[in-house]
Amino acid sequence: MFRTALRNVLAHKARLLMTVLAVTLGVAFVSGTLVFTDTLKKSLSGQSAKSYEGVAVSVTSYGQGRNEQGQKEGDPGLGQQTLDRIKALPGVDTVSGSVSGFAGVGDENGKLIGSGWSNKGGNYTPVKDGKDPRYAFTQGAGPARADEVALDKATADTGKYKVGDKVRVATNGPVKEYTLVGVFTTEDGAVQAGGSLVLFETKVAQELYLKPGYFQELSVAAKNGTSSDKLLADIKPLLDSKTTKAQTGTALAAEQAKQIEKGLSNLSTMLLVFAGISLFVGIFLIYNTFTMLVTQRTKELALLRAVGANRGQVMRSVLTEALVVGFLSAAVGLLSGVGLAIGIRSVIGSLGAKLPGGALVIAPGTVVAALVIGVFVTTVAALLPAWRTGRIAPVAAMGSAHLPASSKSLLLRNILGSVISLGGIGLVFLGVSKGGDAGRMIMGGGAFFMLIGMIVLLPLLSKPVIGAVRPLLQKVFGVPGKLAAQNAVRNPRRTAVTAASLAIGLTLVTTLSVLGITVGKVVDRMSTEKLKADYRVSMSSDAGSLDKSVAETLSKAPGIKAVSPQSAGYFLVDGDFRAASGVNPATIGQLLNVEVLSGSLDALGKGDVAVAEKTATKQKFTVGTTIKLTYDDGREASVKVGAIFKDMEGLLSPYVIDNKILSEHSEDMYIPEVYVNVDGGASKAAQQKVVDALGKNPAINVATQQDMRNEMGGMINTMLNIMYGLLGMALVISVLGVVNTLAMSVFERTQEIGMLRAIGLDRSRVKNMIRLEAVVISLFGAALGVAIGIFLAWAVGSTLAKSMPSYELILPWDRIGIFLLLAAVVGVLAAMWPARSAARLNMLTAIKTE
């Protein structure tokens, strides 16, 4: 029986090739994801460990702590006295302090070099022989004076800077010019991630990022013979345990390795989810393939039963074929996965991101996972056809090439499908009523069961749905259209399995598309309806807070009509932290379209506070209510509610107050954006005036309303395009499924096709019949997927509407139309080979076929 199984594998190469391809795609995605993430994790962990070479103990400050009243207390960092005390310990060789923050360098066109979030500035601290061991200089030396800087080699090369050049460096404040005195290489993670690093003299860096005389981190090197653990034990008593943390360099490197692994887990999970979808879709193709192979060999298997093979042997013969195919698919998929991992690295590199080098990591677990997944998926999909094979009586099998399912089995299937579907739909509605993240989790489970139930019910749904379009097909395409509709429902089980793969893919694509387009429109409405400002000024790539001098500079610049820095802060209300926005009361009404429900925004200028509607309702505030606040510095105050406004999430916090008041109680104001109106309205010339007023700062972005729309719309479209690309693999497998179904249909109807040819149906109409059958099956699955996708998008959107006041579900009919058109194209392409085979059948030979 084993030899028979191997012979059968080789006897049906074309059919099995499609199965191998389907499993290979899924396994390749799984193994490629594992190889890529394992390689990246090892490279980043190695890089992290290398950056801590020579560091026996690292001491990190968390800044000032807060007492029970919310007041800041303690030092802002690690002071010079702490550094000197550690340095005096007997086992300490050297101690270097570091401080860092945002710093950006522009290229020759003034464009920011690097990725914004990873553009860093730090201090150069020579500890031995006048050198800082963290940096290897290829040109010049480290900065020793306040007007000197050093740049990492990649940034210097990109900006075409060389030692002696003047470099304009942007921090959170105005741009300043420095002399470049050195170019270096480093293992710093920000530089390796595609950012930049600017080194300042230590006192300059402290003034820029913290406070003179203080550091954020201390790196301690041990003398020969002193262990890191002993040094750590000696250092800890010298520190404030509430605001600092000390650990060995080895422990810190291990901790960072865990953080890297955690950070990569989201990417890995996302890719594995799409790999799982492809494998799930592949199960339907494998099931169809083995059903076809068993159908073609029904008489052969019956003969084996007649000459002595029992049911178990016949079933094991089919499962052995599945094992062979699964193992072959897994092996090919593993090799393809390695190539995919290399491709992912290349694509990410071509997008400008820098990934650390290193050999590919093919872990034993990846190999085992690929083999287990490939064999398991193939075997599970072949299990039902194998079981059915063993149930066919030898005499019945010899007399009939195809035995239809009993009405009892279809009835049980329909009952089971209905129960599962209704349960899933019930969970979706439960998630809608619950709302929030918890509701969406419930909804995800409901969506899964609903899809499974619909797949089980597809044979029942296929007859009335396809039957409804049969008159139209007959009217438009004549006899081939009528026959195509009849053939599509001749075997409802097989049609259902084929349509299911397309339904799954289109469900996901439609859900993501509807949600993406809807959220994009919400953001667009916020830009057009809520924002009246001509420009939004912010740090490039959300790199941090703007300096308060930005608003001051703009308010004095010619041609600027209105300016309002929007600061982000908080205060305590009844002992709870509440987010607050600081604005300019005199101009905020000109820059934001704030819908005031009661009171007036003018009250902000008198020291009152404005409260969002939802918060006011929850706290039972009305205009005139007195609120007791505790500010960031611990001082208390009683303020009145001067206005209640309609919520503007994403633009204003629930509490709005005068910027001047907020700044009086906050040492470091966080200003994410400044809104600006110019004389004469927005124009390219006016935008350039704003840019010029800020000294052509490469780190500051001046965005128009259209820029803001494009920014969010671009993010959403990029996300959708990635999702479409990942789901494309599932659709490729769906194409193979349609090919399999049509090939099986042609095989079963060989004699019938011969008879049709004999009574006058020419080759072109035979091809049309097969193509139309493919299109009908494809559109049936696609239409079902689109319908379920719209329902799920509505459900998810209902939970988002509470946090998006202007949320309104939008159906992108143009994209939905494209999805259905692509499904029809899938059917036409998939029908090419089966249609050609059917048209080329010799009618006399076909008529004699049993």
Side-chain angles (χ1 to χ4, degrees):
M1 294 300 293
F2 180 73
R3 287 197 303 271
T4 301
L6 291 180
R7 178 183 62 77
N8 289 329
V9 169
L10 297 175
H12 303 89
K13 299 180 183 65
R15 303 281 189 276
L16 292 173
L17 179 61
M18 289 186 283
T19 301
V20 169
L21 184 56
V23 181
T24 295
L25 287 172
V27 173
F29 221 137
V30 172
S31 55
T33 297
L34 295 176
V35 169
F36 174 70
T37 52
D38 286 347
T39 301
L40 191 57
K41 181 171 63 178
K42 182 179 178 181
S43 299
L44 291 173
S45 299
Q47 186 183 88
S48 175
K50 193 172 181 180
S51 65
Y52 284 101
E53 283 181 2
V55 177
V57 176
S58 176
V59 182
T60 305
S61 169
Y62 296 121
Q64 292 173 296
R66 293 183 183 272
N67 58 25
E68 294 179 358
Q69 289 74 41
Q71 297 170 309
K72 289 184 179 180
E73 58 180 15
D75 294 330
L78 298 159
Q80 187 65 41
Q81 289 183 344
T82 303
L83 186 150
D84 292 339
R85 285 200 300 268
I86 294 174
K87 194 173 183 180
L89 292 173
V92 173
D93 185 19
T94 61
V95 182
S96 62
S98 60
V99 61
S100 63
F102 172 78
V105 177
D107 59 18
E108 57 187 0
N109 298 316
K111 187 178 179 182
L112 182 68
I113 299 172
S115 307
W117 62 269
S118 56
N119 294 116
K120 286 176 55 180
N123 63 305
Y124 178 74
T125 308
V127 291
K128 263 190 175 183
D129 304 324
K131 296 180 180 179
D132 188 330
R134 295 173 295 178
Y135 312 109
F137 280 82
T138 58
Q139 298 177 41
R145 293 168 36 180
D147 62 345
E148 296 177 345
V149 293
L151 293 177
D152 68 276
K153 189 175 185 304
T155 301
D157 290 344
T158 302
K160 300 178 181 178
Y161 292 115
K162 55 184 182 294
V163 172
D165 287 348
K166 295 294 183 181
V167 180
R168 297 172 75 248
V169 180
T171 53
N172 290 4
V175 178
K176 292 184 179 179
E177 195 168 75
Y178 299 85
T179 301
L180 181 64
V181 296
V183 176
F184 59 87
T185 58
T186 177
E187 294 296 327
D188 188 282
V191 176
Q192 297 299 324
S196 62
L197 178 59
V198 183
L199 295 182
F200 301 93
E201 188 268 335
T202 295
K203 290 182 180 178
V204 174
Q206 288 175 329
E207 290 175 359
L208 284 171
Y209 302 125
L210 196 58
K211 193 175 180 180
Y214 288 93
F215 299 96
Q216 294 162 333
E217 187 175 355
L218 300 178
S219 298
V220 184
K223 290 180 179 178
N224 290 333
T226 303
S227 71
S228 298
D229 293 332
K230 173 68 170 61
L231 203 55
L232 179 63
D234 292 340
I235 290 173
K236 279 187 174 181
L238 305 178
L239 305 173
D240 181 354
S241 60
K242 293 181 181 178
T243 58
T244 58
K245 181 180 180 180
Q247 57 192 137
T248 64
T250 304
L252 185 58
E255 183 181 286
Q256 288 200 354
K258 286 184 180 179
Q259 291 175 349
I260 289 167
E261 184 173 354
K262 186 177 180 180
L264 290 173
S265 65
N266 291 332
L267 172 64
S268 178
T269 300
M270 182 186 75
L271 293 174
L272 289 175
V273 164
F274 284 99
I277 292 169
S278 296
L279 287 168
F280 184 60
V281 172
I283 286 175
F284 297 101
L285 171 59
I286 299 163
Y287 169 82
N288 254 359
T289 299
F290 277 92
T291 299
M292 178 192 295
L293 296 176
V294 167
T295 301
Q296 289 178 332
R297 293 180 4 237
T298 301
K299 290 190 175 182
E300 176 189 330
L301 295 172
L303 183 61
L304 290 173
R305 291 284 312 281
V307 297
N310 59 35
R311 289 185 176 182
Q313 285 178 309
V314 172
M315 183 176 175
R316 285 194 295 273
S317 171
V318 177
L319 290 178
T320 300
E321 293 182 48
L323 286 170
V324 172
V325 172
F327 186 84
L328 177 63
S329 303
V332 176
L334 178 61
L335 293 175
S336 302
V338 174
L340 181 63
I342 296 172
I344 293 174
R345 286 180 65 172
S346 300
V347 169
I348 292 177
S350 67
L351 295 175
K354 295 180 182 178
L355 297 179
L360 286 175
V361 177
I362 306 174
T366 301
V367 178
V368 172
L371 293 175
V372 169
I373 290 170
V375 172
F376 176 78
V377 168
T378 311
T379 305
V380 167
L383 195 58
L384 186 57
W387 178 71
R388 284 179 179 165
T389 301
R391 291 182 62 204
I392 300 174
V395 175
M398 286 182 181
S400 177
H402 177 68
L403 298 176
S406 66
S407 58
K408 181 181 178 181
S409 67
L410 286 174
L411 177 64
L412 290 173
R413 176 174 180 146
N414 294 337
I415 293 172
L416 180 64
S418 300
V419 170
I420 296 173
S421 297
L422 291 174
I425 293 170
L427 284 174
V428 171
F429 279 111
L430 177 62
V432 170
S433 64
K434 194 171 184 66
D437 291 337
R440 285 189 282 274
M441 288 292 290
I442 295 172
M443 206 177 293
F448 174 76
F449 285 113
M450 187 176 75
L451 265 177
I452 295 297
M454 290 297 179
I455 289 169
V456 175
L457 279 176
L458 277 176
L460 178 67
L461 295 172
S462 63
K463 285 191 174 182
V465 173
I466 296 175
V469 300
R470 187 168 67 183
L472 177 64
L473 288 172
Q474 184 174 354
K475 185 175 181 180
V476 176
F477 298 101
V479 173
K482 179 182 178 180
L483 293 174
Q486 290 176 340
N487 293 333
V489 294
R490 176 176 292 187
N491 190 325
R493 283 178 181 268
R494 192 165 63 228
T495 297
V497 170
T498 306
S501 58
L502 278 166
I504 293 168
L506 266 297
T507 295
L508 295 169
V509 169
T510 304
T511 303
L512 292 171
S513 296
V514 173
L515 286 174
I517 297 297
T518 301
V519 172
K521 291 293 183 183
V522 170
V523 174
D524 190 59
R525 284 196 200 103
M526 287 175 61
S527 300
T528 54
E529 295 177 9
K530 303 296 183 184
L531 188 63
K532 298 197 299 188
D534 294 325
Y535 302 107
R536 183 196 66 191
V537 178
S538 61
M539 296 296 288
S540 295
S541 303
D542 299 321
S545 171
L546 291 163
D547 190 80
K548 60 183 180 181
S549 64
V550 170
E552 294 170 1
T553 301
L554 288 172
S555 62
K556 297 174 184 176
I560 304 294
K561 184 166 64 174
V563 176
S564 177
Q566 185 147 311
S567 56
Y570 69 91
F571 37 63
L572 291 171
V573 179
D574 297 329
D576 294 324
F577 286 101
R578 303 294 182 188
S581 292
V583 300
N584 184 346
T587 59
I588 189 62
Q590 303 173 46
L591 299 163
L592 292 180
N593 188 13
V594 184
E595 186 178 343
V596 179
L597 302 175
S598 59
S600 172
L601 291 179
D602 294 337
L604 294 175
K606 302 173 185 177
D608 292 349
V609 65
V611 183
E613 181 186 17
K614 289 180 183 177
T615 301
T617 302
K618 186 177 181 181
Q619 300 294 329
K620 298 180 180 178
F621 293 155
T622 58
V623 172
T625 302
T626 300
I627 307 173
K628 289 186 177 181
L629 306 178
T630 302
Y631 289 104
D632 189 32
D633 58 2
R635 284 190 280 174
E636 296 182 351
S638 294
V639 299
K640 289 183 178 181
V641 175
I644 293 175
F645 63 93
K646 198 165 186 66
D647 289 70
M648 295 179 67
E649 294 185 36
L651 289 175
L652 287 176
S653 297
Y655 291 85
V656 178
I657 197 167
D658 190 339
N659 248 325
K660 292 179 181 177
I661 297 175
L662 205 57
S663 63
E664 287 173 3
H665 299 281
S666 180
E667 199 172 314
D668 299 309
M669 287 288 291
Y670 183 78
I671 307 173
E673 55 227 350
V674 173
Y675 293 115
V676 181
N677 266 352
V678 295
D679 292 332
S683 66
K684 287 188 177 180
Q687 186 177 17
Q688 190 60 46
K689 282 183 182 179
V690 177
V691 173
D692 293 342
L694 295 171
K696 297 181 180 179
N697 192 323
I700 292 180
N701 180 42
V702 179
T704 64
Q705 288 192 10
Q706 188 60 47
D707 291 334
M708 287 181 264
R709 289 192 199 114
N710 294 342
E711 181 182 321
M712 183 55 69
M715 289 171 57
I716 292 172
N717 286 331
T718 299
M719 180 194 73
L720 287 176
N721 288 335
I722 291 172
M723 297 300 179
Y724 292 158
L726 294 173
L727 289 169
M729 187 169 64
L731 294 178
V732 169
I733 296 174
S734 300
V735 172
L736 299 177
V738 177
V739 173
N740 249 6
T741 295
L742 295 175
M744 186 186 295
S745 178
V746 170
F747 166 75
E748 289 178 354
R749 304 196 326 260
T750 299
Q751 188 179 58
E752 177 186 319
I753 292 171
M755 290 293 294
L756 289 171
R757 289 289 315 284
I759 61 175
L761 196 69
D762 59 26
R763 288 185 175 182
S764 63
R765 286 196 284 181
V766 169
K767 287 182 179 180
N768 284 341
M769 177 182 70
I770 303 297
R771 288 195 198 102
L772 288 172
E773 182 181 348
V775 170
V776 166
I777 294 172
S778 299
L779 286 177
F780 170 58
L784 184 68
V786 167
I788 297 174
I790 291 173
F791 172 69
L792 293 178
W794 165 82
V796 175
S798 299
T799 65
L800 296 175
K802 295 177 182 178
S803 59
M804 295 181 177
S806 58
Y807 184 91
E808 181 183 343
L809 188 71
I810 295 172
L811 298 180
W813 293 112
D814 53 343
R815 295 201 183 195
I816 291 174
I818 291 172
F819 297 155
L820 294 175
L821 178 62
L822 287 175
V825 172
V826 163
V828 172
L829 293 176
M832 289 178 66
W833 174 55
R836 184 169 178 269
S837 298
R840 293 180 65 188
L841 286 174
N842 183 289
M843 64 181 75
L844 294 178
T845 304
I847 290 171
K848 291 189 292 182
T849 302
E850 296 183 10

